[in-house]
Amino acid sequence: MAVSMSSSVALGSPTTTAAAQEDPTTAALNKISPALGKAHGRVQSQLQSDSTSLSQLGKYKATVADLASAAQALSQLGSGTGTGTGSVADQAKVVERFVTAYNQAITASRPDTSSEASSTLASSRRALTNASADTSRSQLAKLGLSRQADGTLKLDTAALNKALTAGASTGTAATGGTGLSTLAQLGKAIGKRADNELASSSRLATATSLFSGKTTQLKQQQTRLLEAATQMSSQASASTGTNTSNWSTQQALRKYLV
């Protein structure tokens, strides 16, 4: 019987977790071969970890895509085109949408510290939060925007509406006054970084590809484990002349065929 366990051992955790040891499939495999049960525990544990990391990266990517769109709209404020030609209420909605999208991206970049995607998301978070350095904090404060200790932005809508209304009354809304220019600058800075995060060569794309490949490999390992267990179970059945216990074992392993 030729079944390769090398990659599952290399990718797995050093020891089988208690949760994996209690898994019905692992228990069934242990009845056939302790080695198969141990290999399954390692593969299953690593697959759960990699799948969680892949899910976190996917959720983060979705928020960054929304942020890129919101930042693009913000960058047009005061330009005399697109969102820059709207009313004060319309412009305030653009800012509000941007703040919401930004905060969602920052929140999505905070994985569990045990996740293998943590370092990738931490780097991405630093890239986004550092973008605020491109814009004067004092100018943003006048527009009701302030950066919180957790990296998110807080918006004072009353202060924002007051600033936008003041700009509109002096005619600066149409010509790109200081307030709108500051907001547009912020949109361009963070929009650029969001686009970089979405690029095919980004750390996010590289990590996503890595975890996707690992989960595929681990699922293939699970299939080989099933094949090995089925073969050994059939051999045991032939030697004892009964297959009742082996049938229940194969039922427990059947999920790997999906």
Side-chain angles (χ1 to χ4, degrees), residues 227-241:
E227 293 171 347
T230 300
Q231 180 179 355
M232 295 180 71
S233 181
S234 296
Q235 292 173 345
S237 179
S239 64
T240 61

Side-chain angles (χ1 to χ4, degrees), residues 179-191:
L180 294 182
S181 293
T182 298
L183 291 170
Q185 181 183 0
L186 178 64
K188 291 177 181 177
I190 293 188

Side-chain angles (χ1 to χ4, degrees), residues 35-54:
L36 288 178
K38 184 176 182 180
H40 169 266
R42 288 175 172 172
V43 171
Q44 185 66 13
S45 177
Q46 188 62 50
L47 180 58
Q48 290 174 346
S49 175
D50 290 346
S51 295
T52 296
S53 295
L54 191 60

